Amino acid sequence: MMSSETVNEDCLAWAARDPSGVLSPYNFARRAVGKDDVSLKITHCGVCYADVIWSRNQHGDSKYPLVPGHEIVGTVKEVGSNVSHIKVGDHVGVGTYVNSCRECEYCNDGEEVFCLKGPVLTFNVIDADGTVTKGGYSSYIVVHERYCYKIPDGYPVALAAPLLCAGITIYSPMIRHKMNQPGKSLGVIGLGGLGHMAVKFGKAFGLKVTVLTTSISKKEEALSVLGADNFVVSSDEEHMKALSKSLDFIVDTASGDHPFDAYLSLLKTAGVFVLVGFPSEIKFNPANLIFGMKTMSGSITGGTRITQEMLEFCAAHKVYPKIEVIPIQCINEAF
């Protein structure tokens, strides 16, 4: 017997079917647009390392078929009857989560990413209705308006995509730890997707920025393209020693395992070290923290309030991620 109600599998996507992580075309059904929902035609989606991790089941919890993607931008094609601040035709973005409890202290403060019941991530997580979330490597998405961000007029839509994970992961702790003080000094460890945003925000905040990396090949990009003030290869002990106690802040974006004591020695008294990468372990001498009255902190993305604030800041200060646009058909090569 065929059901009289046919499921409209009109969402076209690219999905991983197994831990090989190979993505291929996939059709599925999105939920109907509810009264508080926004339906967004996706034009661009950033490629984040998280997409690779879960496509390949590197954390052992991947739910296949898995549609990755949580740096989503596009055009609104339909809104629910209660939606107030978004209209059809608007350019909007969706980030790393699409739901939360909406009643805990963090949700009430616009910090939904720290929801006490856990935010519902944009892909590979069971939502309140029991379905598994599917991300932005797809033709459209339906999201509660609370978790949609308006892209400021005139800001290039494709450039907005990486801001919704990489951008906010950097902006949020920089604001929290008051790194937006002109004239202060910032060290950035690593110069990938996160690191290059740290340099860009640092310069926009008026900081003196030093890039710390293991790769001499990134010197020209750091200094000439991104406008960093200083470039240091961290294996150069003499150069590192010359930087001792010279930095107010360090943002560490490196996910490969690396030593921490050498970097902590670069901080001034009461300096702040923020880790946003995911090395397998953190080891340092407690004396390097205690005697310098230093702060070691971690951070993930950010709540809805600060994410919208970041988008407005980027538009006002012309902070543009460096991107390469590829067709979805090339996604496996990009991985």
Side-chain angles (χ1 to χ4, degrees):
M1 290 285 290
M2 290 190 66
S3 168
S4 58
E5 293 185 17
T6 57
V7 176
N8 186 13
E9 295 186 335
D10 64 342
C11 191
L12 312 177
W14 280 62
R17 304 322 206 277
D18 57 52
S20 72
V22 174
L23 303 176
S24 56
Y26 170 66
N27 284 34
F28 70 100
R30 292 283 190 193
R31 72 167 186 261
V33 177
K35 64 183 186 300
D36 299 309
D37 287 338
V38 172
S39 180
L40 169 67
K41 179 184 177 183
I42 298 171
T43 58
H44 301 83
C45 184
V47 180
C48 178
Y49 190 58
D51 302 334
V52 178
I53 289 172
W54 274 281
S55 293
R56 296 179 180 172
N57 198 29
Q58 291 178 4
H59 288 327
D61 62 353
S62 297
K63 302 169 180 62
Y64 297 107
L66 186 148
V67 179
H70 62 195
E71 298 177 340
I72 302 165
V73 293
T75 306
V76 176
K77 62 178 186 176
E78 185 180 352
V79 298
S81 58
N82 285 353
V83 174
S84 57
H85 75 288
I86 292 173
K87 64 182 186 301
V88 172
D90 281 350
H91 291 148
V92 302
V94 176
T96 59
Y97 53 92
V98 292
N99 211 343
S100 63
C101 79
R102 303 176 210 162
E103 44 188 42
C104 71
E105 59 181 299
Y106 300 104
C107 286
N108 287 336
D109 283 344
E111 292 282 10
E112 296 89 345
V113 71
F114 303 111
C115 175
L116 286 176
K117 293 184 179 179
V120 175
L121 303 182
T122 304
F123 66 87
N124 195 55
V125 170
I126 298 174
D127 205 345
D129 62 1
T131 62
V132 177
T133 55
K134 292 180 168 57
Y137 292 13
S138 53
S139 56
Y140 77 99
I141 192 169
V142 178
V143 183
H144 188 288
E145 72 165 328
R146 178 174 183 148
Y147 311 96
C148 295
Y149 309 101
K150 293 191 75 170
I151 308 301
D153 290 344
Y155 196 91
V157 176
L159 297 179
L163 296 177
L164 297 167
C165 179
I168 189 59
T169 296
I170 296 298
Y171 184 87
S172 179
M174 290 187 79
I175 295 297
R176 185 183 311 122
H177 293 288
K178 299 179 173 57
M179 297 186 192
N180 55 345
Q181 302 178 60
K184 296 278 189 176
S185 53
L186 169 71
V188 177
I189 301 174
L191 198 64
L194 292 170
H196 96 286
M197 289 305 307
V199 176
K200 284 178 173 286
F201 281 130
K203 296 306 295 180
F205 290 143
L207 303 177
K208 182 179 179 182
V209 179
T210 296
V211 170
L212 302 152
T213 177
T214 58
S215 178
I216 188 66
S217 65
K218 295 189 176 183
K219 183 174 184 178
E220 184 178 352
E221 180 182 4
L223 298 176
S224 302
V225 178
L226 298 174
D229 301 281
N230 195 8
F231 180 89
V232 175
V233 176
S234 55
S235 59
D236 184 336
E237 293 182 12
E238 190 173 319
H239 207 165
M240 289 284 282
K241 190 174 181 179
L243 276 181
S244 179
K245 299 180 180 179
S246 68
L247 302 176
D248 295 290
F249 314 109
I250 291 176
V251 174
D252 183 353
T253 73
S255 286
D257 287 338
H258 55 284
F260 285 83
D261 286 306
Y263 293 121
L264 283 170
S265 72
L266 306 183
L267 285 175
K268 296 178 181 178
T269 298
V272 177
F273 187 110
V274 173
L275 179 65
V276 294
F278 271 86
S280 65
E281 64 177 8
I282 300 171
K283 283 186 177 181
F284 58 85
N285 186 333
N288 287 334
L289 201 66
I290 295 167
F291 291 118
M293 199 171 62
K294 298 167 186 176
T295 297
M296 169 73 80
S297 177
S299 192
I300 48 174
T301 57
T304 56
R305 174 183 47 78
I306 197 168
T307 301
Q308 188 64 57
E309 174 192 308
M310 172 204 62
L311 289 167
E312 303 293 342
F313 179 89
C314 288
H317 296 269
K318 293 183 169 54
V319 176
Y320 298 136
K322 185 181 177 186
I323 69 168
E324 176 186 355
V325 179
I326 63 166
I328 189 64
Q329 291 80 7
C330 295
I331 190 58
N332 290 303
E333 181 184 352
F335 269 23

